[in-house]
Amino acid sequence: QVQLVESGGGLVQAGGSLRLSCVASGDTSYIHTVSWFRQPPGKEREFVARSRWTGGAVVYADSVKGRFTISTDAVKNMASLEMNSLKPEDTAVYYCNANEVFWGPGTPVTVSS
């Protein structure tokens, strides 16, 4: 079993930056991939970024490519999502995911114009 908890969400102005963190606990040795998803208000949950837990094989959604950076630190059982040049359309609840089956409770991000 793997437990995930996100943190770092909040209210920022357009053009600003925010770093989200995901702390994993439990059987973390079984984590192979970590992903970030988001769910904008009134919309379906969508893929944001994915990485191997040990690094590499990084994939980004087109909507965030060049602005967001996913990183992992398996030793510290952490993953991060660095978000730069934020846009109002980035407003969503952001979720950390492991192995495509484990989910954190989410952390809300609101970008004001």
Side-chain angles (χ1 to χ4, degrees):
Q1 298 296 310
V2 175
Q3 295 81 44
L4 306 171
V5 179
E6 306 93 339
S7 64
L11 175 64
V12 298
Q13 294 187 26
S17 299
L18 204 62
R19 179 185 290 269
L20 305 182
S21 296
C22 174
V23 178
S25 60
D27 296 330
T28 58
S29 63
Y30 292 97
I31 299 177
H32 302 291
T33 62
V34 62
S35 301
W36 288 93
F37 289 78
R38 68 186 184 186
Q39 186 168 19
K43 297 183 178 180
E44 299 291 329
R45 189 174 299 187
E46 64 185 26
F47 169 80
V48 175
R50 177 169 54 250
S51 172
R52 288 175 179 157
W53 185 236
T54 53
V58 175
V59 179
Y60 295 98
D62 288 341
S63 59
V64 307
K65 192 175 299 182
R67 300 188 299 119
F68 290 12
T69 302
I70 185 173
S71 61
T72 63
D73 188 338
V75 175
K76 297 181 179 180
N77 291 327
M78 289 182 58
S80 298
L81 184 69
E82 179 71 29
M83 305 185 295
N84 299 309
S85 301
L86 284 163
K87 305 174 181 179
E89 49 263 45
D90 294 319
T91 295
V93 177
Y94 284 72
Y95 298 89
C96 183
N97 172 278
N99 293 0
E100 299 184 345
V101 295
F102 301 108
W103 294 91
T107 185
V109 173
T110 301
V111 183
S112 64
S113 59

XYZ file of all heavy atoms in Angstrom:
852
model
N 0.835 -1.186 0.000
C 0.000 0.000 0.000
C 0.875 1.243 0.000
O 1.909 1.284 0.658
C -0.930 0.021 1.214
C -1.897 -1.133 1.269
C -2.868 -1.100 0.098
O -3.466 -0.067 -0.167
N -3.001 -2.231 -0.589
N 0.429 2.246 -0.761
C 1.131 3.509 -0.875
C 0.164 4.632 -0.534
O -0.975 4.655 -1.015
C 1.704 3.715 -2.286
C 2.325 5.097 -2.409
C 2.735 2.633 -2.596
N 0.615 5.554 0.291
C -0.160 6.737 0.614
C 0.560 7.964 0.066
O 1.780 8.064 0.153
C -0.365 6.885 2.121
C -1.201 5.773 2.758
C -0.386 4.523 3.022
O 0.737 4.597 3.516
N -0.957 3.370 2.694
N -0.211 8.889 -0.492
C 0.330 10.098 -1.084
C -0.373 11.311 -0.487
O -1.589 11.289 -0.301
C 0.137 10.100 -2.601
C 0.661 8.891 -3.378
C 0.178 8.956 -4.819
C 2.181 8.855 -3.335
N 0.387 12.347 -0.212
C -0.174 13.593 0.298
C 0.467 14.754 -0.442
O 1.692 14.903 -0.426
C 0.043 13.752 1.814
C -0.530 15.082 2.283
C -0.599 12.607 2.572
N -0.365 15.586 -1.074
C 0.118 16.760 -1.781
C 0.114 17.974 -0.855
O -0.644 18.027 0.115
C -0.753 17.073 -3.008
C -0.931 15.916 -3.978
C -2.183 15.106 -3.703
O -2.697 15.163 -2.561
O -2.657 14.425 -4.626
N 0.932 18.947 -1.205
C 0.947 20.219 -0.491
C 1.485 21.292 -1.431
O 2.062 20.991 -2.469
C 1.792 20.143 0.779
O 3.152 19.889 0.475
N 1.289 22.539 -1.052
C 1.846 23.648 -1.799
C 0.861 24.433 -2.628
O 1.224 25.463 -3.209
N -0.374 23.981 -2.708
C -1.369 24.700 -3.480
C -1.737 26.020 -2.820
O -1.470 26.245 -1.641
N -2.357 26.890 -3.595
C -2.759 28.177 -3.073
C -3.230 29.100 -4.169
O -3.535 28.665 -5.278
N -3.303 30.377 -3.841
C -3.751 31.412 -4.766
C -2.557 32.211 -5.254
O -1.787 32.731 -4.449
C -4.759 32.332 -4.075
C -5.241 33.551 -4.849
C -6.015 33.115 -6.087
C -6.094 34.434 -3.954
N -2.400 32.298 -6.564
C -1.317 33.065 -7.171
C -1.860 33.875 -8.334
O -2.903 33.558 -8.899
C -0.162 32.164 -7.660
C 0.458 31.412 -6.492
C -0.654 31.192 -8.712
N -1.151 34.933 -8.683
C -1.524 35.739 -9.836
C -0.961 35.152 -11.113
O 0.049 34.448 -11.105
C -1.024 37.175 -9.669
C -1.675 37.941 -8.533
C -1.282 39.398 -8.524
O -0.924 39.973 -9.560
N -1.360 40.019 -7.368
N -1.627 35.427 -12.219
C -1.138 34.979 -13.517
C 0.296 35.448 -13.730
O 0.644 36.586 -13.421
C -2.036 35.489 -14.630
N 1.109 34.547 -14.276
C 2.516 34.840 -14.477
C 3.396 34.424 -13.317
O 4.629 34.413 -13.455
N 2.789 34.076 -12.210
C 3.536 33.677 -11.036
C 3.959 32.226 -11.077
O 3.722 31.510 -12.051
N 4.576 31.791 -9.991
C 5.094 30.434 -9.885
C 4.631 29.785 -8.597
O 4.315 30.464 -7.611
C 6.629 30.433 -9.934
O 7.117 30.967 -11.144
N 4.606 28.472 -8.613
C 4.199 27.706 -7.449
C 4.847 26.332 -7.533
O 4.977 25.771 -8.631
C 2.681 27.580 -7.407
C 1.993 27.322 -6.063
C 2.248 28.472 -5.102
C 0.502 27.139 -6.278
N 5.252 25.799 -6.398
C 5.820 24.460 -6.351
C 4.916 23.554 -5.516
O 4.646 23.851 -4.350
C 7.226 24.469 -5.752
C 7.857 23.070 -5.656
C 9.209 23.096 -4.949
N 10.224 23.735 -5.764
C 11.017 23.084 -6.614
N 10.898 21.770 -6.770
N 11.922 23.748 -7.312
N 4.477 22.475 -6.121
C 3.684 21.474 -5.434
C 4.580 20.310 -5.019
O 5.490 19.930 -5.761
C 2.554 20.956 -6.317
C 1.606 21.994 -6.914
C 0.521 21.303 -7.717
C 1.005 22.864 -5.828
N 4.304 19.746 -3.852
C 5.067 18.613 -3.362
C 4.145 17.437 -3.107
O 2.969 17.610 -2.786
C 5.811 18.970 -2.073
O 6.776 19.976 -2.301
N 4.690 16.242 -3.263
C 3.969 15.007 -3.013
C 4.861 14.115 -2.171
O 5.958 13.742 -2.605
C 3.604 14.322 -4.336
S 2.853 12.685 -4.161
N 4.406 13.785 -0.973
C 5.153 12.919 -0.076
C 4.506 11.541 -0.068
O 3.295 11.422 0.161
C 5.209 13.492 1.349
C 5.949 12.531 2.273
C 5.890 14.849 1.349
N 5.299 10.520 -0.325
C 4.813 9.146 -0.360
C 5.221 8.410 0.903
O 6.300 8.629 1.463
C 5.354 8.416 -1.584
N 4.353 7.525 1.349
C 4.646 6.686 2.505
C 4.076 5.298 2.259
O 3.379 5.067 1.277
C 4.083 7.294 3.793
O 2.675 7.439 3.716
N 4.369 4.380 3.154
C 3.945 3.005 2.970
C 5.003 2.211 2.220
O 6.196 2.384 2.451
N 4.559 1.363 1.304
C 5.472 0.515 0.544
C 6.024 1.272 -0.656
O 5.746 0.932 -1.815
C 4.765 -0.762 0.100
C 4.328 -1.630 1.258
O 4.994 -1.598 2.309
O 3.319 -2.353 1.112
N 6.832 2.266 -0.388
C 7.335 3.130 -1.450
C 8.300 2.422 -2.388
O 8.531 2.906 -3.497
C 8.006 4.378 -0.870
O 9.073 3.992 0.002
C 7.000 5.206 -0.086
N 8.859 1.300 -1.970
C 9.764 0.560 -2.845
C 9.038 -0.011 -4.057
O 9.679 -0.388 -5.040
C 10.459 -0.565 -2.075
O 9.528 -1.523 -1.602
N 7.720 -0.068 -4.008
C 6.933 -0.583 -5.121
C 6.490 0.503 -6.099
O 5.823 0.197 -7.085
C 5.702 -1.326 -4.596
C 6.054 -2.612 -3.882
C 6.152 -2.659 -2.500
C 6.311 -3.778 -4.599
C 6.491 -3.831 -1.844
C 6.651 -4.952 -3.949
C 6.741 -4.971 -2.573
O 7.079 -6.140 -1.922
N 6.864 1.740 -5.844
C 6.511 2.824 -6.754
C 7.426 2.796 -7.976
O 8.650 2.829 -7.849
C 6.608 4.197 -6.066
C 5.636 4.280 -4.890
C 6.328 5.313 -7.069
C 5.729 5.577 -4.114
N 6.818 2.749 -9.159
C 7.568 2.740 -10.410
C 7.452 4.065 -11.157
O 8.414 4.518 -11.770
C 7.093 1.600 -11.309
C 7.216 0.246 -10.682
N 8.434 -0.338 -10.430
C 6.272 -0.623 -10.254
C 8.246 -1.519 -9.867
N 6.941 -1.712 -9.753
N 6.262 4.658 -11.122
C 6.043 5.928 -11.792
C 5.276 6.872 -10.883
O 4.519 6.434 -10.017
C 5.258 5.763 -13.104
O 3.957 5.231 -12.821
C 5.985 4.827 -14.054
N 5.469 8.148 -11.076
C 4.703 9.164 -10.373
C 4.170 10.142 -11.405
O 4.880 10.498 -12.356
C 5.558 9.874 -9.300
C 6.735 10.598 -9.930
C 4.699 10.842 -8.491
N 2.925 10.536 -11.240
C 2.279 11.431 -12.187
C 1.553 12.536 -11.448
O 1.198 12.396 -10.279
C 1.272 10.676 -13.065
O 1.890 9.636 -13.798
N 1.344 13.629 -12.145
C 0.482 14.706 -11.672
C -0.706 14.824 -12.613
O -0.538 14.840 -13.836
C 1.223 16.039 -11.603
C 2.226 16.122 -10.493
C 3.547 15.829 -10.551
C 1.964 16.536 -9.148
N 4.139 16.034 -9.328
C 3.193 16.467 -8.447
C 0.819 16.963 -8.469
C 3.296 16.801 -7.090
C 0.929 17.295 -7.125
C 2.151 17.211 -6.454
N -1.882 14.873 -12.049
C -3.117 15.132 -12.768
C -3.760 16.375 -12.179
O -3.424 16.804 -11.078
C -4.081 13.947 -12.655
C -3.665 12.723 -13.424
C -2.680 11.880 -12.943
C -4.270 12.408 -14.627
C -2.295 10.751 -13.641
C -3.903 11.275 -15.342
C -2.914 10.452 -14.849
N -4.693 16.943 -12.906
C -5.438 18.080 -12.386
C -6.870 18.029 -12.882
O -7.164 17.465 -13.931
C -4.784 19.407 -12.785
C -4.839 19.723 -14.280
C -4.044 20.983 -14.582
N -4.142 21.371 -15.979
C -3.449 22.359 -16.529
N -2.594 23.064 -15.795
N -3.605 22.643 -17.826
N -7.754 18.623 -12.107
C -9.154 18.693 -12.478
C -9.625 20.136 -12.363
O -9.861 20.636 -11.256
C -10.008 17.783 -11.600
C -11.452 17.711 -12.035
C -12.214 16.590 -11.349
O -11.789 16.087 -10.308
N -13.321 16.190 -11.926
N -9.755 20.819 -13.504
C -10.278 22.185 -13.477
C -11.745 22.196 -13.066
O -12.440 21.178 -13.199
C -10.105 22.665 -14.924
C -9.116 21.714 -15.532
C -9.359 20.408 -14.850
N -12.246 23.319 -12.590
C -13.657 23.396 -12.205
C -14.573 23.036 -13.364
O -14.435 23.572 -14.469
C -13.837 24.864 -11.794
C -12.468 25.315 -11.400
C -11.537 24.587 -12.328
N -15.483 22.109 -13.126
C -16.455 21.720 -14.129
C -15.916 20.866 -15.256
O -16.631 20.631 -16.232
N -14.680 20.393 -15.154
C -14.089 19.597 -16.215
C -13.596 18.254 -15.689
O -13.542 18.019 -14.485
C -12.937 20.352 -16.876
C -13.334 21.645 -17.569
C -12.152 22.283 -18.266
C -12.559 23.553 -18.992
N -11.409 24.173 -19.684
N -13.239 17.378 -16.625
C -12.711 16.068 -16.272
C -11.265 16.178 -15.806
O -10.545 17.118 -16.155
C -12.795 15.125 -17.475
C -14.198 14.862 -17.989
C -15.013 14.046 -17.025
O -14.436 13.215 -16.296
O -16.238 14.228 -16.998
N -10.853 15.211 -15.013
C -9.469 15.155 -14.586
C -8.572 14.903 -15.797
O -8.899 14.084 -16.663
C -9.286 14.050 -13.545
C -7.925 14.037 -12.881
C -7.868 13.006 -11.754
N -8.834 13.288 -10.704
C -8.900 12.620 -9.559
N -8.049 11.627 -9.314
N -9.827 12.937 -8.669
N -7.444 15.604 -15.863
C -6.566 15.505 -17.010
C -5.117 15.280 -16.590
O -4.680 15.696 -15.522
C -6.660 16.763 -17.883
C -6.196 18.030 -17.187
C -6.415 19.273 -18.028
O -7.324 19.261 -18.882
O -5.674 20.259 -17.827
N -4.376 14.634 -17.463
C -2.973 14.349 -17.244
C -2.139 15.613 -17.344
O -2.388 16.472 -18.199
C -2.495 13.319 -18.275
C -1.010 13.142 -18.328
C -0.358 12.362 -17.393
C -0.263 13.754 -19.320
C 1.014 12.192 -17.438
C 1.106 13.600 -19.379
C 1.742 12.808 -18.428
N -1.143 15.735 -16.484
C -0.252 16.888 -16.484
C 1.189 16.473 -16.789
O 1.817 17.001 -17.706
C -0.291 17.643 -15.149
C 0.736 18.770 -15.134
C -1.689 18.196 -14.893
N 1.730 15.539 -16.013
C 3.120 15.131 -16.185
C 3.347 13.775 -15.548
O 2.633 13.378 -14.638
C 4.073 16.161 -15.578
N 4.366 13.073 -16.028
C 4.690 11.763 -15.476
C 6.199 11.556 -15.522
O 6.880 12.032 -16.439
C 3.974 10.649 -16.252
C 4.319 9.233 -15.767
C 3.414 8.177 -16.366
N 3.372 8.221 -17.815
C 2.329 8.602 -18.524
N 1.210 8.972 -17.915
N 2.378 8.608 -19.845
N 6.716 10.825 -14.548
C 8.136 10.509 -14.471
C 8.322 9.154 -13.812
O 7.483 8.710 -13.043
C 8.888 11.587 -13.674
O 10.232 11.218 -13.416
N 9.427 8.500 -14.113
C 9.801 7.345 -13.329
C 10.129 7.802 -11.909
O 10.658 8.895 -11.714
C 11.017 6.638 -13.925
C 10.747 5.887 -15.216
C 12.033 5.336 -15.793
N 11.813 4.592 -17.018
C 12.726 4.376 -17.944
N 13.955 4.861 -17.779
N 12.431 3.680 -19.028
N 9.825 6.986 -10.931
C 10.096 7.315 -9.545
C 11.588 7.548 -9.319
O 11.978 8.392 -8.507
C 9.577 6.191 -8.645
C 9.671 6.429 -7.167
C 10.300 5.631 -6.261
C 9.105 7.511 -6.428
N 10.156 6.136 -5.000
C 9.427 7.292 -5.068
C 8.345 8.630 -6.774
C 9.028 8.169 -4.053
C 7.956 9.507 -5.765
C 8.293 9.266 -4.435
N 12.403 6.806 -10.068
C 13.846 6.941 -9.953
C 14.424 7.930 -10.960
O 15.638 8.049 -11.071
C 14.526 5.575 -10.119
O 14.089 4.954 -11.327
C 14.186 4.664 -8.950
N 13.558 8.627 -11.673
C 13.987 9.634 -12.621
C 13.968 9.159 -14.057
O 14.115 7.977 -14.341
N 13.758 10.090 -14.960
C 13.758 9.795 -16.373
C 12.373 9.504 -16.920
O 11.386 9.488 -16.191
N 12.309 9.263 -18.225
C 11.067 8.961 -18.934
C 9.993 10.000 -18.630
O 8.841 9.658 -18.363
C 10.587 7.556 -18.604
N 10.357 11.263 -18.696
C 9.448 12.354 -18.353
C 8.559 12.697 -19.536
O 9.034 12.833 -20.669
C 10.238 13.594 -17.900
C 9.305 14.769 -17.668
C 11.026 13.278 -16.636
N 7.279 12.832 -19.263
C 6.299 13.188 -20.275
C 5.425 14.312 -19.733
O 5.000 14.275 -18.581
C 5.416 11.982 -20.668
C 4.384 12.395 -21.707
C 6.277 10.847 -21.195
N 5.144 15.310 -20.572
C 4.297 16.432 -20.189
C 3.121 16.569 -21.133
O 3.215 16.265 -22.322
C 5.071 17.753 -20.213
C 6.187 17.852 -19.216
C 7.501 17.606 -19.587
C 5.936 18.216 -17.895
C 8.536 17.711 -18.668
C 6.960 18.319 -16.973
C 8.262 18.068 -17.367
O 9.284 18.174 -16.452
N 2.018 17.039 -20.599
C 0.911 17.434 -21.447
C 1.315 18.670 -22.240
O 2.088 19.503 -21.767
C -0.327 17.725 -20.605
N 0.780 18.798 -23.456
C 1.121 19.940 -24.299
C 0.792 21.264 -23.623
O 1.492 22.263 -23.819
C 0.396 19.849 -25.637
C 0.954 18.759 -26.526
O 2.092 18.306 -26.290
O 0.251 18.357 -27.472
N -0.252 21.286 -22.821
C -0.706 22.517 -22.207
C 0.267 23.072 -21.167
O 0.211 24.262 -20.845
C -2.079 22.305 -21.559
O -2.021 21.285 -20.577
N 1.157 22.230 -20.645
C 2.087 22.673 -19.608
C 3.539 22.565 -20.039
O 4.429 23.009 -19.297
C 1.879 21.893 -18.296
C 0.426 21.960 -17.858
C 2.328 20.439 -18.449
N 3.788 22.001 -21.193
C 5.152 21.799 -21.666
C 5.897 23.131 -21.754
O 5.387 24.104 -22.306
C 5.126 21.104 -23.021
C 6.473 20.571 -23.483
C 6.323 19.776 -24.789
C 5.404 18.583 -24.601
N 5.274 17.776 -25.847
N 7.092 23.165 -21.189
C 7.890 24.373 -21.183
C 7.643 25.265 -19.994
O 8.415 26.201 -19.753
N 6.578 25.019 -19.240
C 6.248 25.826 -18.072
C 6.338 25.044 -16.771
O 6.688 25.607 -15.735
C 4.838 26.409 -18.201
C 4.650 27.316 -19.407
C 3.290 28.006 -19.376
N 2.187 27.046 -19.416
C 1.270 26.909 -18.464
N 1.311 27.676 -17.380
N 0.296 26.016 -18.594
N 6.005 23.753 -16.816
C 6.007 22.910 -15.627
C 7.185 21.946 -15.681
O 7.596 21.501 -16.756
C 4.719 22.099 -15.526
C 3.476 22.893 -15.212
C 3.470 24.276 -15.270
C 2.310 22.234 -14.855
C 2.327 25.002 -14.985
C 1.163 22.943 -14.560
C 1.163 24.323 -14.629
N 7.703 21.597 -14.510
C 8.783 20.628 -14.405
C 8.479 19.637 -13.296
O 8.239 20.041 -12.154
C 10.134 21.311 -14.116
O 10.431 22.261 -15.144
C 11.246 20.275 -14.064
N 8.483 18.357 -13.634
C 8.282 17.314 -12.636
C 9.650 16.795 -12.205
O 10.560 16.652 -13.020
C 7.401 16.169 -13.172
C 7.099 15.152 -12.064
C 8.047 15.483 -14.369
C 6.089 14.087 -12.468
N 9.793 16.529 -10.935
C 11.033 15.976 -10.413
C 10.712 14.993 -9.300
O 9.641 15.051 -8.686
C 11.974 17.077 -9.913
O 11.381 17.810 -8.854
N 11.639 14.087 -9.053
C 11.444 13.078 -8.014
C 12.694 12.953 -7.161
O 13.806 13.246 -7.602
C 11.105 11.705 -8.617
O 12.202 11.246 -9.415
C 9.846 11.771 -9.459
N 12.498 12.528 -5.953
C 13.593 12.224 -5.037
C 13.173 10.973 -4.290
O 12.520 11.050 -3.245
C 13.862 13.387 -4.092
C 15.119 13.180 -3.254
O 15.546 12.023 -3.075
O 15.680 14.179 -2.775
N 13.535 9.821 -4.835
C 13.107 8.548 -4.257
C 13.686 8.333 -2.863
O 13.061 7.685 -2.025
C 13.504 7.398 -5.183
N 14.867 8.873 -2.609
C 15.476 8.725 -1.292
C 14.624 9.418 -0.232
O 14.445 8.900 0.873
C 16.910 9.272 -1.285
C 17.485 9.236 0.121
C 17.784 8.475 -2.229
N 14.096 10.585 -0.562
C 13.249 11.330 0.359
C 11.768 11.006 0.197
O 10.934 11.603 0.875
C 13.463 12.832 0.172
C 14.869 13.295 0.499
C 15.009 14.797 0.325
C 16.400 15.271 0.678
N 16.547 16.738 0.506
N 11.451 10.071 -0.710
C 10.065 9.681 -0.975
C 9.213 10.882 -1.367
O 8.085 11.039 -0.897
C 9.464 8.967 0.237
C 10.071 7.607 0.471
O 10.444 6.912 -0.464
N 10.161 7.213 1.734
N 9.752 11.706 -2.237
C 9.059 12.920 -2.631
C 9.051 13.107 -4.137
O 9.967 12.682 -4.840
C 9.715 14.152 -1.990
C 9.513 14.287 -0.512
S 10.278 15.797 0.124
C 9.437 17.045 -0.857
N 8.021 13.762 -4.612
C 7.939 14.224 -5.984
C 7.460 15.668 -5.954
O 6.751 16.078 -5.032
C 6.989 13.362 -6.807
N 7.855 16.439 -6.953
C 7.494 17.844 -7.002
C 7.012 18.216 -8.388
O 7.338 17.564 -9.375
C 8.687 18.730 -6.630
O 9.118 18.490 -5.308
N 6.233 19.273 -8.441
C 5.810 19.865 -9.698
C 6.059 21.362 -9.598
O 5.361 22.063 -8.861
C 4.332 19.585 -9.987
C 3.825 20.081 -11.338
C 4.448 19.255 -12.466
C 2.305 20.003 -11.409
N 7.080 21.822 -10.303
C 7.390 23.245 -10.356
C 6.579 23.877 -11.475
O 6.697 23.476 -12.629
C 8.889 23.450 -10.593
C 9.323 24.902 -10.691
C 9.266 25.640 -9.376
O 9.427 24.987 -8.326
O 9.066 26.868 -9.380
N 5.747 24.846 -11.132
C 4.860 25.483 -12.088
C 5.265 26.939 -12.254
O 5.274 27.699 -11.286
C 3.407 25.381 -11.631
C 2.950 23.952 -11.349
S 1.190 23.838 -10.945
C 1.152 24.762 -9.412
N 5.601 27.312 -13.470
C 6.002 28.673 -13.791
C 5.076 29.263 -14.846
O 4.367 28.539 -15.542
C 7.445 28.704 -14.295
C 8.440 28.197 -13.282
O 8.444 28.636 -12.134
N 9.301 27.275 -13.695
N 5.101 30.584 -14.963
C 4.271 31.290 -15.945
C 2.828 30.818 -15.882
O 2.203 30.498 -16.896
C 4.844 31.096 -17.355
O 6.172 31.571 -17.436
N 2.292 30.793 -14.693
C 0.951 30.255 -14.487
C -0.109 31.091 -15.192
O -0.008 32.317 -15.270
C 0.646 30.164 -12.998
C 1.331 28.991 -12.288
C 1.328 29.195 -10.788
C 0.631 27.685 -12.653
N -1.110 30.396 -15.694
C -2.219 31.003 -16.408
C -3.519 30.707 -15.671
O -3.606 29.720 -14.940
C -2.311 30.446 -17.831
C -1.036 30.568 -18.648
C -1.181 29.858 -19.987
C 0.080 29.945 -20.806
N -0.059 29.230 -22.110
N -4.539 31.539 -15.858
C -5.827 31.255 -15.215
C -6.365 29.862 -15.544
O -7.002 29.244 -14.684
C -6.743 32.350 -15.766
C -5.822 33.486 -16.036
C -4.549 32.844 -16.529
N -6.096 29.361 -16.744
C -6.568 28.037 -17.118
C -5.837 26.911 -16.393
O -6.215 25.745 -16.520
C -6.477 27.822 -18.637
C -5.131 28.186 -19.234
C -5.118 29.585 -19.828
O -5.630 30.521 -19.178
O -4.604 29.747 -20.952
N -4.789 27.239 -15.637
C -4.122 26.250 -14.799
C -4.865 26.019 -13.488
O -4.495 25.126 -12.716
C -2.687 26.678 -14.488
C -1.799 26.707 -15.716
O -1.909 25.793 -16.557
O -0.982 27.641 -15.830
N -5.877 26.823 -13.224
C -6.666 26.668 -12.010
C -7.310 25.287 -11.968
O -8.022 24.897 -12.894
C -7.745 27.753 -11.924
O -7.123 29.037 -11.803
C -8.651 27.524 -10.718
N -7.044 24.555 -10.904
C -7.545 23.188 -10.784
C -7.137 22.620 -9.434
O -6.307 23.193 -8.724
C -6.989 22.302 -11.905
N -7.718 21.488 -9.101
C -7.215 20.683 -8.001
C -6.167 19.750 -8.582
O -6.437 19.025 -9.543
C -8.328 19.877 -7.308
C -7.743 18.988 -6.222
C -9.365 20.817 -6.717
N -4.975 19.783 -8.028
C -3.866 18.981 -8.524
C -3.684 17.743 -7.667
O -3.662 17.819 -6.437
C -2.579 19.809 -8.547
C -2.531 20.788 -9.692
C -3.332 21.919 -9.696
C -1.698 20.565 -10.786
C -3.309 22.810 -10.760
C -1.665 21.449 -11.846
C -2.469 22.571 -11.831
O -2.436 23.448 -12.887
N -3.541 16.590 -8.340
C -3.435 15.303 -7.671
C -2.117 14.622 -8.002
O -1.683 14.616 -9.159
C -4.571 14.373 -8.093
C -5.955 14.861 -7.741
C -6.672 15.661 -8.615
C -6.540 14.501 -6.531
C -7.937 16.102 -8.298
C -7.810 14.935 -6.209
C -8.507 15.738 -7.096
O -9.766 16.160 -6.771
N -1.512 14.023 -7.003
C -0.348 13.178 -7.182
C -0.809 11.741 -7.364
O -1.757 11.297 -6.706
C 0.572 13.300 -5.967
S 2.108 12.372 -6.072
N -0.154 11.013 -8.259
C -0.526 9.642 -8.572
C 0.722 8.777 -8.655
O 1.756 9.209 -9.155
C -1.290 9.611 -9.903
C -1.541 8.203 -10.410
O -0.660 7.595 -11.029
N -2.736 7.691 -10.171
N 0.613 7.549 -8.163
C 1.703 6.593 -8.262
C 1.211 5.307 -8.888
O 0.131 4.808 -8.529
C 2.302 6.301 -6.888
N 1.965 4.788 -9.825
C 1.662 3.522 -10.498
C 0.285 3.512 -11.157
O -0.273 2.447 -11.393
C 1.789 2.353 -9.531
C 3.221 2.111 -9.075
O 4.143 2.813 -9.480
N 3.410 1.124 -8.221
N -0.272 4.662 -11.409
C -1.578 4.831 -12.039
C -2.736 4.305 -11.194
O -3.867 4.244 -11.681
C -1.608 4.191 -13.433
C -0.598 4.789 -14.398
C -0.708 4.210 -15.789
O -1.363 3.165 -15.966
O -0.140 4.808 -16.727
N -2.484 3.948 -9.949
C -3.528 3.389 -9.093
C -3.635 4.069 -7.734
O -4.689 4.011 -7.095
C -3.348 1.869 -8.888
C -3.514 1.123 -10.204
C -1.993 1.564 -8.267
N -2.583 4.714 -7.257
C -2.602 5.363 -5.958
C -2.758 6.865 -6.141
O -2.086 7.474 -6.981
C -1.325 5.069 -5.172
C -1.082 3.606 -4.926
C -0.085 2.935 -5.604
C -1.862 2.908 -4.022
C 0.140 1.589 -5.386
C -1.647 1.554 -3.794
C -0.639 0.895 -4.482
N -3.631 7.452 -5.347
C -3.942 8.873 -5.475
C -3.821 9.599 -4.146
O -4.150 9.054 -3.092
C -5.372 9.080 -5.984
C -5.609 8.589 -7.374
C -6.027 7.352 -7.752
C -5.446 9.337 -8.581
N -6.141 7.283 -9.121
C -5.792 8.480 -9.654
C -5.049 10.649 -8.858
C -5.750 8.900 -10.986
C -4.999 11.063 -10.177
C -5.350 10.197 -11.223
N -3.349 10.834 -4.209
C -3.411 11.709 -3.062
C -4.754 12.413 -3.023
O -5.542 12.338 -3.974
N -5.058 13.123 -1.944
C -6.351 13.806 -1.823
C -6.460 15.074 -2.660
O -7.565 15.595 -2.824
C -6.435 14.130 -0.331
C -5.009 14.278 0.097
C -4.245 13.264 -0.717
N -5.359 15.576 -3.170
C -5.368 16.749 -4.011
C -5.069 18.021 -3.246
O -5.284 18.118 -2.044
N -4.553 19.013 -3.962
C -4.315 20.336 -3.412
C -4.777 21.367 -4.438
O -4.452 21.268 -5.622
C -2.821 20.535 -3.052
O -2.642 21.798 -2.415
C -1.924 20.461 -4.282
N -5.581 22.337 -4.013
C -6.142 23.287 -4.983
C -5.170 24.400 -5.355
O -4.443 24.926 -4.508
C -7.361 23.850 -4.245
C -6.977 23.762 -2.799
C -6.141 22.510 -2.669
N -5.184 24.750 -6.629
C -4.398 25.852 -7.159
C -5.347 26.798 -7.886
O -6.085 26.373 -8.773
C -3.302 25.368 -8.125
C -2.616 26.558 -8.794
C -2.289 24.513 -7.388
N -5.317 28.055 -7.505
C -6.132 29.065 -8.156
C -5.230 30.151 -8.708
O -4.439 30.737 -7.970
C -7.144 29.684 -7.184
O -7.998 28.663 -6.670
C -7.988 30.732 -7.890
N -5.341 30.410 -9.998
C -4.549 31.433 -10.662
C -5.485 32.560 -11.069
O -6.397 32.368 -11.872
C -3.814 30.882 -11.891
C -2.931 31.960 -12.507
C -2.979 29.662 -11.510
N -5.270 33.724 -10.515
C -6.111 34.877 -10.800
C -5.524 35.706 -11.923
O -4.303 35.775 -12.104
C -6.280 35.730 -9.545
O -5.040 36.277 -9.130
N -6.396 36.342 -12.678
C -5.970 37.233 -13.750
C -5.981 38.674 -13.292
O -5.100 39.448 -13.578
C -6.862 37.051 -14.977
O -8.212 37.309 -14.663
